[in-house]
């Protein structure tokens, strides 16, 4: 690797701070030192942007002792931080890997808390912060990485209030009940809150963090923590008030380059050779991990051992290859785990191996990228059984390598990757029978089914690769510091100007290195505005209630992800700031991908406010053209039925919605049905008593309407509706009250109180009963329902998320739906995605 010393006063506009530098030191026999790049997704993602912006990387070399002088390698300034042998023991092996790592991974191993470890952690974090402060240009963007450096953001802010500071946590952030065990929990929160933007792997991690903040007396709202302008946690410093954002940015891999490896003929030949060397087994199972107790290697071995014992899989026809990179072997728990794995592998081979044919091939070694790719290609089933994992990149690497669209992935639901790869065989690694069943299913997968699953997973991994992760994060982080700290008077306060300022910095740095690229950037400079849009979206999405109004609610511990029917702020609001389409949350995209996997689907939508914007004149409502196009495309697909479920009368619905010919239609909240394929009979007729009751209720509503200007009555086959949309507010309220006190309260009359309508029905139908009926008519395996009104809540209530159903509330308001979209535009985006997903 070419390298040169940098001039000592070099200061960068973009600084990455990580425990390790992206290079490994090699000392030749003659004593000369060279640096080899250590391959990794983070480096390859950041390398181009670092090179363009004269980026700097602050980190430890990996060897204890004095730090070398800063040097340059591959266009990045590397700034080594010194760690003594004692620092390595106390800060790295102790506090980071003996306390924080197990604590953040659900206490799988017992964390140990020692005060001298913590003191070392504080000292080393300060050293990183000081080195970073010295090497960052005015207003630079600093990106701190991972749990070893959680105090750096705050320390850095104290030293350099002009900087924009971002932090990404590569490992999970634990639920508060676990985090609370940390004796220095307040200091850690305080440290992290020095950042402007915090990134986590999963929305649940971001939520756990926000909840920890609330438990410590801070107000949060829509993924933001509000820091009041006063000294906090005993600090003598005065902090001006500011906001810290927390969101999920699931990390990914350099999918293209890994795909390219899998396509190389020499690597494909090596894959064939590996299978030959293994004795040409019918089934190759593969595990690739750092040797870490979080990875569930022992659980996996247990499942495989039992399958061998029960002769469900029989060596030498089936073998397991387990590659385990040596890791942290000076930490006690790791040493023990290494011994346990060795004993288990030895026992399995003793029981089921044959001469020259071990049942488990165990490699306690690191492998190079090529060999790893060949192993992925050679494997029929990839086993990932992590007990808890921030993301797990091995899962994504396996998928990216399989350009042949074969192979199967057994994936722990406790790995972050499970959210993005629902087409894997998801397992609870603690449920050994479940893991065994998944292995058997995966090993017996038909090529067609394997392709179907792998194709969907590959699409995800290619669409969201590490370059997109890094660029998304950097753009959002750059816009996060929209409000400048008051101690930095030189900075501008307009968010738009902020973003342009950053883009100017980046462009200037780009121009220094690559004038052509800078020119191209200038042309497409509209993207520079995107972070601002995203930033504003945080604000615009909610109402303008000041934070204080939320204090009580946010301090309420009962608020949580688990609470049924309560949609928390989805902290992942950003998937693609470059994409002009409204962003769908990762949670929804993932749910749709899972939904589309079912063989028979029902897509049911309310009309007004869902595929058609709400308009003053109901007769003028029309579906958005893009939504209608997608609906037509969906209705034409085999295995897909489309339905519109509306409060409107059927005739009226047909007139305004111009629905696809094959669409099922439900009018009057379920009282009227139209089924063009003739799978069901039409709506239910009334009994005499019901007809009489309806006539009485209609007469009464008409009397009320005649006394209240601007209201009108609509009659329906099984009900009657009082509309108050066009009346003055007080008049509407009075008419509504009279209807509620009057006919709505009569026995046998069913009330649906919607937006500016009081709807009375003499038969008990709701959108919920309608949806049940639609499910049974169509025989759908999975149902998606989107609605914007309280009447749609009845439909959400009959959905089963655990069975693959998807519920989407459009617009604001309390809901029991699992997902939310802002507007009919976003519904149209969702339908477009569904066309792609279901069309395959
Ligand atoms: P890790 O715990 O190290 O990362 P993982 O995401 O699986 O876990 O990354 C491991 C990397 O090491 C992969 O790129 C893999 O190819 C490589 N690797 C594993 N075994 C190897 C072997 N024997 N030889 C060579 N290479 C090997 C932490 C978090 C994860 C999170 C990542 C990134 O614990 O949850 O996904 O950071 O944020």
């Amino acid at each position: 690797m070419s390298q040169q010393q940098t001039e000592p006063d070099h200061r960068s506009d973009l600084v990455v701070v990580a425990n390790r530098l992206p290079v490994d030191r090699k000392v030749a026999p003659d004593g000369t030192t060279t640096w080899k790049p250590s391959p990794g997704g983070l480096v390859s993602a950041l390398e181009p942007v670092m090179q363009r912006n004269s980026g700097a990387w602050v980190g430890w070399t990996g060897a204890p002792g004095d730090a070398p002088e800063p040097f340059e390698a591959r266009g990045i300034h590397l700034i080594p931080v010194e760690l003594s042998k004692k620092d390595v023991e106390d800060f790295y092996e102790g506090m980071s890997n003996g306390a924080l790592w197990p604590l953040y991974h659900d206490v799988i191993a017992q964390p140990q808390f020692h005060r001298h470890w913590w003191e070392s952690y504080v000292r080393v974090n300060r050293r990183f912060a000081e080195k970073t402060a010295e090497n960052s240009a005015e207003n630079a963007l600093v990106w701190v990485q991972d749990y070893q450096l959680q105090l750096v953001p705050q320390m850095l802010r104290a030293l350099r209030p002009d900087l924009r500071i971002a932090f990404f946590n590569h490992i999970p952030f634990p639920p508060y009940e676990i985090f609370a065990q940390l004796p220095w929990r307040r200091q850690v929160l305080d440290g992290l809150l020095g950042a402007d933007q915090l990134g986590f792997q999963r929305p649940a991690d971001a939520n756990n963090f926000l909840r920890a903040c609330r438990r410590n007396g801070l107000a949060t709202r829509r993924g933001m923590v509000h820091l009041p302008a006063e000294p906090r946690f005993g600090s003598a410093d005065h902090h001006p008030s500011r906001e810290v954002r927390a969101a999920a940015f699931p990390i990914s891999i350099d999918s293209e380059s890994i795909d390219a490896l899998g396509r190389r003929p020499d690597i494909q030949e090596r894959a064939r050779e590996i299978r030959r060397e293994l004795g040409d087994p019918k089934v190759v199972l593969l595990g690739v991990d750092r040797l870490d107790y979080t990875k569930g290697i022992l659980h996996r071995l247990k499942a495989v051992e039992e399958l061998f014992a029960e002769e469900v899989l029989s060596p030498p026809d089936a073998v397991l290859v387990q590659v385990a990179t040596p890791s942290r072997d000076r930490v006690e728990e790791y040493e023990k785990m290494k011994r346990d794995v060795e004993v288990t592998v030895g026992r399995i081979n003793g029981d089921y191996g044959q001469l020259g044919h071990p049942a488990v091939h165990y490699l306690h070694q690191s492998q190079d990228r090529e060999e790893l790719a060949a192993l992925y290609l050679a494997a029929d089933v990839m086993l990932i059984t992590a007990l808890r994992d921030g993301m797990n990149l091995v899962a994504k690497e396996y998928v990216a390598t399989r350009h042949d669209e074969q192979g199967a992935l057994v994936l722990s639901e406790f790995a972050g990757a499970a959210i993005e790869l629902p087409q894997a065989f998801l397992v609870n690694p603690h449920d050994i029978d479940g893991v065994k069943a998944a292995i058997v299913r995966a090993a017996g997968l038909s090529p067609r089914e394997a392709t179907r699953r792998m194709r969907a997973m590959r699409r995800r991994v290619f669409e969201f690769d590490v370059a997109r992760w890094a660029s998304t994060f950097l753009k959002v982080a750059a816009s996060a510091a929209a409000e400048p700290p008051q101690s930095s008077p030189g900075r501008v306060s307009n968010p738009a100007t902020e973003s342009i300022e950053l883009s100017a910095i980046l462009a200037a740095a780009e121009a220094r290195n690559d004038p052509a690229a800078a020119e191209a950037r200038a042309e497409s400079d509209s993207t520079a505005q995107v972070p601002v849009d995203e930033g504003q979206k945080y604000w615009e999405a909610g109402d303008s209630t000041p934070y204080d109004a939320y204090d009580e609610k946010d301090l309420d511990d009962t608020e949580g992800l688990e609470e049924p029917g309560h949609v928390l702020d989805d902290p992942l609001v950003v998937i693609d700031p470059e994409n002009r389409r409204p962003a769908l949350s990762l949670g929804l995209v993932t749910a749709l991908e899972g939904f589309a996997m079912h063989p028979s689907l029902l897509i049911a939508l309310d009309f007004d406010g869902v595929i058609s914007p709400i308009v003053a004149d109901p007769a003028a409502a029309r579906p958005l053209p893009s939504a209608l196009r997608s609906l037509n495309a969906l209705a034409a697909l085999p295995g897909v039925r489309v339905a519109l479920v509306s409060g409107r009368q059927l005739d009226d619905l047909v007139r305004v919605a111009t629905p696809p010919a094959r669409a099922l239609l439900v009018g009057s909240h379920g009282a009227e049905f139209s089924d063009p394929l003739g799978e069901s009979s039409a709506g239910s007729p009334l009994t005499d008593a019901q007809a009489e009751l309806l006539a009485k209720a209609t007469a009464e509503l008409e009397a009320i309407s005649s006394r209240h200007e601007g209201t009108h009555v609509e009659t329906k086959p099984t009900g009657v509706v009082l509309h108050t949309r066009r009346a003055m507010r007080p008049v509407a309220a009075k008419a509504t009250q009279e209807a509620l006190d009057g006919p709505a309260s009569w026995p046998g009359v069913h009330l649906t109180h919607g937006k500016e309508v009081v709807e009375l029905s003499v038969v008990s139908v709701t959108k919920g009963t309608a949806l049940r009926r639609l499910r049974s008519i169509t025989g759908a395996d999975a149902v998606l329902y989107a609605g914007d009104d309280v009447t749609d809540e009845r439909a959400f209530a009959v959905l089963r998320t655990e069975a693959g159903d998807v519920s989407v509330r459009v617009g604001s308001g309390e809901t029991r739906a699992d997902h939310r979209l802002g507007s009919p535009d976003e519904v149209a985006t969702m339908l477009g995605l569904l066309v792609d997903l279901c069309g395959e």
Side-chain angles (χ1 to χ4, degrees):
M1 184 182 218
S2 72
Q3 65 194 68
Q4 61 189 69
Q5 302 279 305
T6 51
E7 65 276 28
D9 62 345
H10 179 94
R11 305 208 311 163
S12 297
D13 295 318
L14 178 62
V15 183
V16 168
V17 191
N19 180 48
R20 284 294 309 274
L21 285 173
V23 289
D24 293 320
R25 190 193 334 227
K26 294 272 172 273
V27 183
D30 65 0
T32 51
T33 297
T34 52
W35 298 93
K36 266 188 61 177
S38 52
L42 189 61
V43 195
S44 53
L46 292 177
E47 205 171 66
V49 61
M50 297 287 274
Q51 287 166 347
R52 274 206 304 278
N53 297 289
S54 311
W57 190 305
V58 178
W60 177 44
T61 60
D66 292 345
E69 286 303 310
F71 58 96
E72 188 158 332
R74 291 163 73 117
I76 305 176
H77 303 285
L78 302 182
I79 301 160
V81 177
E82 173 193 321
L83 287 195
S84 67
K85 205 162 155 287
K86 189 85 175 96
D87 292 333
V88 176
E89 279 171 25
D90 292 346
F91 153 75
Y92 180 65
E93 293 166 354
M95 190 65 209
S96 299
N97 292 331
L100 293 171
W101 177 271
L103 185 77
Y104 282 28
H105 285 88
D106 283 0
V107 203
I108 294 165
Q110 189 57 44
Q112 293 183 36
F113 303 120
H114 296 298
R115 281 162 287 187
H116 66 285
W117 285 1
W118 170 252
E119 283 153 19
S120 174
Y121 187 83
V122 176
R123 266 197 312 276
V124 173
N125 269 250
R126 179 157 299 123
R127 204 175 300 152
F128 272 84
E130 283 165 356
K131 266 277 193 266
T132 309
E134 282 165 26
N135 288 280
S136 303
E138 179 87 356
N139 290 343
L141 176 59
V142 177
W143 190 4
V144 184
Q145 309 284 327
D146 227 355
Y147 65 103
Q148 302 94 347
L149 302 177
Q150 294 174 100
L151 306 182
V152 170
Q154 185 208 24
M155 291 171 168
L156 195 53
R157 180 170 291 275
L159 292 167
R160 289 286 307 274
D162 61 302
L163 299 177
R164 302 136 214 258
I165 304 169
F167 178 93
F168 184 77
N169 203 43
H170 290 254
I171 68 173
F173 195 89
Y176 188 70
E177 291 65 25
I178 291 179
F179 181 70
Q181 292 179 22
L182 183 65
W184 308 282
R185 62 194 186 201
R186 294 187 121 200
Q187 290 90 322
V188 166
L189 284 184
D190 222 7
L192 290 170
L193 289 167
D196 300 296
Q197 175 75 51
L198 295 165
F200 297 89
Q201 300 276 29
R202 301 169 309 150
D205 297 317
N207 270 324
N208 286 343
F209 172 78
L210 292 169
R211 187 154 173 261
C213 290
R214 289 196 289 274
R215 287 295 305 257
N216 282 275
L218 294 169
T220 74
R221 193 173 155 235
R222 300 197 66 81
M224 294 222 228
V225 185
H226 178 71
L227 301 181
E230 49 186 68
R232 294 176 42 248
F233 299 163
S235 156
D237 299 337
H238 174 80
H239 302 286
S241 82
R242 58 189 190 88
E243 271 73 42
V244 180
R245 292 184 193 173
F249 298 83
I251 198 169
S252 194
I253 54 167
D254 185 357
S255 313
E256 295 280 342
S257 80
I258 293 174
D259 172 72
L261 279 179
R263 291 176 192 269
R264 261 172 47 186
D266 58 326
I267 289 178
Q268 293 179 6
E269 178 47 38
R270 174 64 190 139
R272 286 190 286 274
E273 190 179 47
I274 288 172
R275 288 192 79 107
R276 280 197 299 276
E277 286 172 1
L278 294 172
D280 278 323
K282 291 200 183 81
V283 179
V284 176
L285 310 173
L286 175 66
V288 173
D289 313 80
R290 264 188 320 98
L291 190 52
D292 193 298
Y293 50 77
T294 59
K295 304 291 180 184
I297 298 173
L298 285 168
H299 292 65
R300 185 183 316 166
L301 288 172
K302 187 169 177 54
V304 171
E305 183 176 20
E306 288 189 14
L307 289 172
F308 288 167
E310 293 157 10
E311 296 182 9
V312 178
L313 294 176
S314 303
D317 277 352
V319 298
L320 168 67
V321 178
Q322 175 62 57
V323 189
T325 323
S327 180
R328 305 174 190 171
D329 37 21
R330 287 160 49 89
V331 178
E332 201 183 311
E333 282 287 341
Y334 288 75
E335 237 183 284
K336 179 176 174 305
M337 137 122 205
K338 178 167 167 279
R339 280 198 306 274
D340 289 347
V341 169
E342 285 166 358
V343 166
T344 309
V345 169
R347 187 180 63 235
I348 300 176
N349 278 335
D351 288 347
Y352 306 104
Q354 295 173 9
L355 269 184
H357 295 288
V360 178
H361 297 252
Y362 175 59
L363 302 174
H364 183 225
Q365 304 158 14
S366 190
Q367 303 291 327
D368 62 28
R369 293 174 77 219
E370 284 79 6
E371 183 68 1
L372 218 47
L375 280 163
Y376 290 146
L377 275 184
D380 301 299
V381 181
M382 182 83 221
L383 298 178
I384 292 168
T385 50
L387 305 178
R388 177 59 76 199
D389 213 336
M391 177 53 57
N392 196 296
L393 297 179
V394 170
K396 293 186 173 181
E397 289 168 1
Y398 178 67
V399 168
T401 311
R402 299 308 300 246
H403 61 91
D404 58 352
E405 296 182 337
Q406 288 301 297
L409 177 62
V410 171
L411 176 60
S412 165
E413 60 195 34
F414 302 128
I419 301 184
E420 293 177 82
L421 304 175
Q423 301 83 4
F425 291 93
L426 295 182
V427 292
N428 168 2
H430 299 282
D431 170 14
I432 300 296
D433 286 336
V435 175
K436 284 161 62 183
I439 293 175
V440 170
R441 279 190 65 202
L445 204 58
S446 72
R448 197 163 161 267
E449 178 67 5
T451 300
R452 190 171 146 83
R453 289 172 181 263
M454 190 55 83
R455 190 176 289 169
M457 293 194 285
R458 282 174 67 77
R459 189 181 44 242
R460 174 81 204 180
V461 166
F462 281 86
E463 202 174 332
F464 295 96
D465 66 0
V466 74
R468 187 153 165 191
W469 169 78
S471 69
T472 303
F473 188 92
L474 285 172
K475 282 176 187 163
V476 173
S479 73
E483 283 299 312
Q486 279 145 34
S487 52
S488 177
R491 292 181 61 193
V492 284
S493 63
N494 178 328
T497 332
E498 281 286 307
S499 177
I500 290 161
E501 184 196 0
L502 179 89
S503 91
I505 293 168
L506 296 180
E510 224 166 52
R512 283 202 293 277
N513 294 320
D514 182 354
E519 212 173 284
R521 184 189 173 86
E523 259 178 38
S524 65
D525 216 16
S526 50
T527 56
Q529 296 296 327
V530 173
V532 176
D533 289 340
E534 287 302 333
Q536 287 173 339
K537 200 161 165 240
Y538 280 91
W539 292 100
E540 287 168 359
D543 57 36
S544 55
T545 318
Y547 279 101
D548 288 347
Y550 284 77
D551 275 1
E552 231 170 82
K553 169 177 166 282
D554 284 332
L555 286 171
D556 177 2
D557 272 342
T558 58
E559 182 187 349
L561 271 177
E562 317 71 26
E563 194 177 317
H566 182 99
V567 174
L568 267 192
D569 300 343
D570 186 347
L572 190 119
V573 289
V574 181
I575 284 187
D576 182 9
E578 273 173 11
N579 192 335
R580 291 310 168 83
R581 295 185 314 186
L584 303 180
S585 75
L586 177 62
L588 177 56
V589 172
T590 306
L592 295 175
E593 286 174 341
F595 172 74
M597 292 287 296
H598 293 267
S600 158
L601 303 174
L602 169 63
I603 297 168
L605 311 163
D606 182 13
F607 174 72
D608 291 286
V610 174
I611 57 170
S612 154
I614 296 280
V615 289
D617 175 9
R622 289 293 176 274
L624 292 174
S626 55
L628 191 57
R629 256 197 317 276
S630 295
L631 272 189
N632 280 313
L634 286 166
L637 290 173
V640 179
R641 293 302 306 273
V642 168
L644 293 182
V645 181
S646 175
R648 287 178 184 252
Q649 285 194 54
L650 211 47
D651 296 350
D652 185 26
L653 179 64
V654 173
R655 194 167 45 246
V656 292
T658 57
R662 291 179 78 240
L664 287 146
L665 300 175
V666 177
S668 305
H669 295 289
E672 296 178 282
F673 250 82
S674 154
D675 176 7
L677 300 192
E679 289 149 318
S680 68
S681 56
S684 43
L686 300 182
T687 62
D688 289 349
Q690 285 170 333
E692 194 180 320
L693 185 60
L694 180 56
K696 256 179 75 188
T698 306
E700 186 64 26
L701 279 196
E702 275 168 351
I704 293 171
S705 177
S706 68
R707 297 195 295 272
H708 295 89
E709 198 181 329
T711 65
H712 71 278
V713 170
E714 178 193 7
T715 54
K716 295 188 171 184
T718 58
V720 55
V721 190
L722 177 71
H723 289 272
T724 58
R725 189 180 297 167
R726 295 203 205 115
M728 305 281 291
R729 275 218 184 154
V731 178
K734 198 161 158 287
T736 300
Q737 199 53 53
E738 285 186 21
L740 293 178
D741 295 341
S745 61
W746 297 346
V749 172
H750 304 275
L751 165 72
T752 310
H753 191 175
K755 267 187 199 148
E756 297 166 322
V757 291
V758 175
E759 174 138 13
L760 307 180
S761 170
V762 292
V763 291
S764 174
V765 287
T766 65
K767 287 186 176 178
T769 54
L771 196 57
R772 270 212 193 96
R773 187 165 166 201
L774 285 173
R775 187 197 286 274
S776 102
I777 292 170
T778 57
D781 303 308
V783 177
L784 176 146
Y785 186 84
D788 74 320
D789 194 20
V790 280
T791 59
D792 296 305
E793 294 298 320
R794 306 294 282 268
F796 297 141
V798 304
L799 293 183
R800 298 186 309 258
T801 308
E802 67 287 357
D805 292 348
V806 181
S807 50
V808 182
R809 169 77 180 225
V810 184
S812 56
E814 288 266 322
T815 185
R816 48 158 54 96
D818 289 325
H819 305 279
R820 193 188 290 278
L821 290 174
S823 64
D825 273 327
E826 294 188 9
V827 175
T829 302
M830 176 184 78
L831 293 174
L833 177 62
L834 275 173
V835 173
D836 291 347
L837 291 171
C838 301
E840 300 217 326

